[in-house]
Amino acid sequence: MSKVNNFRRYNPLIDEWIIVAVNRINRPWQGAKTTVSKNSEDTTSSELRTPPEKNQLAPGGVRSSGAVNENYQSTFVFENDFPSFTEFEKCAGEEENDDLFKQQEVRGVCKVICYHPDSKLTLAKMDLKEVRTVIDIWNQQYVELCPKYDWVQIFENRGAVVGCSNMHPHGQLWASNYLPSIPLKKHESQKKYFEKHGGKVMLMDYLDQEISKNERIIMRNEHWTWLVPYWAFWPYETMLLPNRHVERFTDLEETEKQSLSSILRDLLIKYDNIFECSFPYMMGWSGAPTGSFLQEDCSFWQIHLSFFPPLLRSATVPKFLAGYEVFAEKQRDISPEIAAKTLREMDGVHYSKRN
């Protein structure tokens, strides 16, 4: 990997930025691959599972960089060997600030968070103590990185269909010295609502109304509510919200972290039970920005956890962004209300444990 920082470029046509991670092109790939048919038009994908003895995320595993993992017994965190964000002295591109050609250096850190030493487990199959350990690791990472970086993104891609290259239970953390495009939009939208509605927090107002309507709520406990958003795009997209106003992950109380471990596992069990498979998804936390924003009033923010699962009709039929959705506007095939009803009615016992 080249020892230079990456950069981001601005698209003035749609008012968005894109990260150009030139140092990741040689990143090794262990996930799904496509095969091309004789007519060069049909492609089929298959999940390529890493043999246990070659699992780079397992305890004692040898990674592509040559680094050897600790023989960890619980969780394990290490810096990504092929990161998009780095803290080198030089950048791969020069700064530009023209209306049509804007380029900025990006700095930060990327980490891999192994949830468990057992490659056969997922968050849905772990016990509550093990899930709570993962939550504590998330909190520990936030505490460590929030003072330095404006955005700390904890996320998980599960399943080859969403780009996961290793089926070992793990997630990632990317911390950057700037506020990325989507968090920036959330920041501005919540602030605008806050100012327009006399200091009311958008997602707290939204949660109150969802509770009143009771059409898209899947599950609630003392501290958390799990629902399908009114505006959901992905077939079984969901959002997990605290029942009280919480700006950042580090503001969660001990009782809230404990009940989070419970509802998070219950949520993932229901996902797996829909099509009786290890349900793929993209998961990510969003909360008030950090770093330089710690000195600003961010009381209009509400922390939330989003899940974007691609499966639509079965374990083998994913939804892809295509055609009109790429060039014009997103669309979905089942209503959020039907999705919520389906998830509510799912058994709370994991399908693999049924008699």
Side-chain angles (χ1 to χ4, degrees):
M1 187 183 75
S2 58
K3 301 296 183 180
V4 290
N5 297 319
N6 291 312
F7 52 87
R8 63 199 294 243
R9 285 181 173 169
Y10 179 66
N11 180 344
L13 195 61
I14 57 174
D15 188 27
E16 286 186 358
W17 291 82
I18 180 171
I19 298 170
V20 184
V22 295
N23 63 1
R24 283 169 60 86
I25 190 63
N26 294 319
R27 181 170 67 108
W29 181 251
Q30 295 178 296
K33 298 181 180 179
T34 59
T35 56
V36 182
S37 65
K38 292 180 179 179
N39 63 13
S40 297
E41 293 180 356
D42 297 331
T43 60
T44 56
S45 63
S46 61
E47 189 169 280
L48 184 64
R49 290 194 173 273
T50 308
E53 66 276 8
K54 294 183 178 180
N55 183 357
Q56 297 186 22
L57 298 185
V62 181
R63 306 200 300 273
S64 300
S65 63
V68 180
N69 297 335
E70 298 176 7
N71 284 307
Y72 61 95
Q73 301 298 311
S74 179
T75 55
F76 176 56
V77 181
F78 65 90
E79 291 200 14
N80 197 311
D81 298 317
F82 297 87
S84 289
F85 300 141
T86 53
E87 288 284 5
F88 297 127
E89 291 185 7
K90 297 181 179 179
C91 181
E94 297 295 326
E95 192 95 353
E96 294 187 70
N97 198 29
D98 183 87
D99 284 346
L100 299 178
F101 298 91
K102 289 185 181 181
Q103 181 166 289
Q104 298 175 345
E105 179 184 27
V106 294
R107 288 177 173 266
V109 64
C110 297
K111 297 186 179 185
V112 176
I113 304 173
C114 296
Y115 299 157
H116 198 281
D118 189 346
S119 297
K120 296 179 182 179
L121 291 183
T122 63
L123 286 171
K125 295 180 180 180
M126 294 179 194
D127 63 39
L128 289 179
K129 184 178 179 180
E130 292 166 336
V131 176
R132 174 60 196 269
T133 300
V134 174
I135 291 169
D136 288 340
I137 284 292
W138 288 341
N139 187 75
Q140 175 188 317
Q141 291 298 312
Y142 276 118
V143 169
E144 175 186 332
L145 297 169
C146 280
K148 184 175 182 179
Y149 296 107
D150 285 358
W151 188 253
V152 179
Q153 181 65 68
I154 286 180
F155 66 97
E156 178 187 355
N157 296 325
R158 191 174 88 171
V161 71
V162 295
C164 180
S165 62
N166 190 311
M167 296 304 112
H168 190 90
H170 73 286
Q172 296 187 59
L173 179 155
W174 292 16
S176 61
N177 65 338
Y178 68 93
L179 193 55
S181 298
I182 294 175
L184 178 58
K185 288 181 180 179
K186 290 186 175 184
H187 186 80
E188 292 173 343
S189 296
Q190 290 177 96
K191 185 176 183 179
K192 184 178 179 180
Y193 185 95
F194 188 82
E195 293 170 346
K196 180 180 178 180
H197 295 274
K200 291 186 175 181
V201 177
M202 176 197 285
L203 288 180
M204 289 303 296
D205 272 6
Y206 172 68
L207 177 59
D208 288 343
Q209 292 193 46
E210 283 285 21
I211 293 171
S212 177
K213 293 176 184 295
N214 199 28
E215 294 178 289
R216 287 167 293 275
I217 290 178
I218 303 159
M219 185 188 303
R220 299 190 73 209
N221 64 19
E222 183 181 357
H223 303 107
W224 298 87
T225 298
W226 181 35
L227 54 82
V228 177
Y230 180 78
W231 53 81
F233 162 64
W234 293 98
Y236 289 99
E237 177 179 335
T238 61
M239 178 185 289
L240 187 62
L241 287 160
N243 292 336
R244 72 175 180 95
H245 181 212
V246 180
E247 292 179 36
R248 298 180 176 92
F249 196 92
T250 49
D251 296 329
L252 291 173
E253 297 175 351
E254 288 301 306
T255 53
E256 290 169 322
K257 293 175 190 173
Q258 190 58 34
S259 62
L260 172 60
S261 63
S262 175
I263 199 169
L264 179 58
R265 190 182 66 166
D266 290 345
L267 177 164
L268 295 174
I269 288 173
K270 284 181 175 287
Y271 267 153
D272 282 4
N273 285 348
I274 294 177
F275 299 125
E276 296 193 353
C277 69
S278 187
F279 206 70
Y281 56 72
M282 295 163 283
M283 174 194 83
W285 283 98
S286 297
T290 52
S292 60
F293 290 88
L294 292 173
Q295 309 305 317
E296 298 182 12
D297 180 12
C298 292
S299 57
F300 47 86
W301 261 93
Q302 174 73 344
I303 190 175
H304 53 284
L305 176 63
S306 297
F307 286 85
F308 301 150
L311 295 189
L312 179 59
R313 297 182 182 90
S314 74
T316 58
V317 181
K319 174 182 178 61
F320 293 101
L321 279 170
Y324 191 87
E325 294 165 344
V326 173
F327 298 106
E329 194 164 83
K330 295 176 180 177
Q331 67 94 37
R332 61 180 290 129
D333 297 331
I334 59 173
S335 73
E337 293 74 29
I338 294 297
K341 181 176 184 294
T342 300
L343 285 163
R344 270 197 306 271
E345 294 175 353
M346 282 298 111
D347 195 342
V349 177
H350 198 274
Y351 72 89
S352 65
K353 296 183 178 179
R354 296 174 191 156
N355 293 328

